Amino acid sequence: MTSSVEEMKFNSIITDIGFEKINAALIAGTKLDLKYIAVGDACGEYYEMRQDQTALVNEIYRAETQEVDGVSATALIPHNIGGFYIREVGVFDSLNNLILIARQPLTYKPQEEQGGIKDIWIKVRLKGINPDAVQIKIDPSIQYASVEFVTDLIKSHQHPDLMPIWLYDTNGNGVVDSCEFVDGGLFTDKGDIEIPQPPVLPDLIMNTSIYDKNQNGIVDDAENIDAGEF
């Protein structure tokens, strides 16, 4: 029997196979590897979760857990995966046993073609699972940076000491990058090159108000001084 969304409890239950695997781990002194989190759309409607379930009603996407701390498990659905609703979530061990199943408040994961993209982090509380039976997992080798984080990092990438933005950002995009030309030379933003610095010119000898003919803020080799190339 299907319950209405208004009275739905977004809880989780441990499956029969989950209890079996947890108890076996506690008795043997081993750790349960909660390796996967899967999401599904439950074929379009919520349902009463059952302890004898061995799979989601309609699994759509599965990801490896990014972090398991004994209290919760977390996984990422990246921005390039989408086009479905999420109603159900399952936590699986490394042998694909469904250990825990949970209801997810209705969430839509869009596709890029639909006009928007986003990463979604799925975090499942391991309610009722003894932390002593769970293998702790924090694996930096499979961590992801969100699209927003990388975009913000690129936007903030500057060389404030070596490359003044107001002087060298010729295309006006807020950073000094490989699109810029510095004094007639192509600047490539790599760590193995020498980044040119603005020249230091004595004010009394080179007055920019007189000699800066191309109005780029400095007197450089693009200027002509007294009919002679400088």
Side-chain angles (χ1 to χ4, degrees), residues 56-70:
L56 298 180
V57 168
N58 188 36
E59 180 178 326
I60 296 177
Y61 183 75
R62 179 179 294 211
E64 287 198 22
T65 52
Q66 303 288 293
E67 181 175 330
V68 179
D69 59 12

Side-chain angles (χ1 to χ4, degrees), residues 172-224:
N173 69 343
V175 296
V176 177
D177 54 27
S178 58
C179 295
E180 318 297 348
F181 286 85
V182 179
D183 291 342
L186 179 65
F187 170 68
T188 303
D189 188 9
K190 295 182 179 178
D192 57 353
I193 66 170
E194 182 179 351
I195 300 175
Q197 299 189 44
V200 178
L201 302 172
D203 291 338
L204 295 178
I205 297 177
M206 296 293 185
N207 190 312
T208 56
S209 64
I210 299 175
Y211 295 109
D212 181 23
K213 295 186 178 182
N214 62 0
Q215 297 183 346
N216 69 343
I218 58 175
V219 178
D220 55 23
D221 58 5
E223 320 294 348
N224 290 318

Side-chain angles (χ1 to χ4, degrees), residues 119-140:
D119 297 328
I120 289 184
W121 289 92
I122 301 294
K123 186 173 185 178
V124 183
R125 292 192 63 186
L126 305 177
K127 186 177 180 180
I129 299 181
N130 190 326
D132 293 336
V134 176
Q135 177 179 316
I136 304 303
K137 177 181 182 180
I138 303 176
D139 188 352

Side-chain angles (χ1 to χ4, degrees), residues 32-38 62-68 73-75 90-97 99 135 137 142:
L32 194 61
D33 182 9
L34 302 180
K35 189 170 184 179
Y36 305 105
I37 291 180
R62 179 179 294 211
E64 287 198 22
T65 52
Q66 303 288 293
E67 181 175 330
V68 179
T74 306
V91 179
F92 293 79
D93 68 9
S94 57
L95 299 176
N96 293 313
N97 295 304
I99 305 299
Q135 177 179 316
K137 177 181 182 180
I142 57 173

Side-chain angles (χ1 to χ4, degrees), residues 48-61:
E48 293 297 332
M49 299 178 294
R50 306 186 321 274
Q51 285 185 304
D52 63 353
Q53 279 184 242
T54 58
L56 298 180
V57 168
N58 188 36
E59 180 178 326
I60 296 177
Y61 183 75

Side-chain angles (χ1 to χ4, degrees), residues 4-77:
S4 66
V5 175
E6 289 77 8
E7 61 187 25
M8 183 70 62
K9 291 183 179 180
F10 296 103
N11 58 338
S12 62
I13 63 171
I14 301 173
T15 63
D16 290 338
I17 189 68
F19 278 117
E20 179 184 324
K21 294 296 182 180
I22 293 166
N23 290 333
L26 290 172
I27 292 172
T30 58
K31 299 292 185 179
L32 194 61
D33 182 9
L34 302 180
K35 189 170 184 179
Y36 305 105
I37 291 180
V39 297
D41 66 359
C43 289
E45 60 180 3
Y46 287 103
Y47 60 92
E48 293 297 332
M49 299 178 294
R50 306 186 321 274
Q51 285 185 304
D52 63 353
Q53 279 184 242
T54 58
L56 298 180
V57 168
N58 188 36
E59 180 178 326
I60 296 177
Y61 183 75
R62 179 179 294 211
E64 287 198 22
T65 52
Q66 303 288 293
E67 181 175 330
V68 179
D69 59 12
V71 177
S72 62
T74 306
L76 172 69
I77 305 178

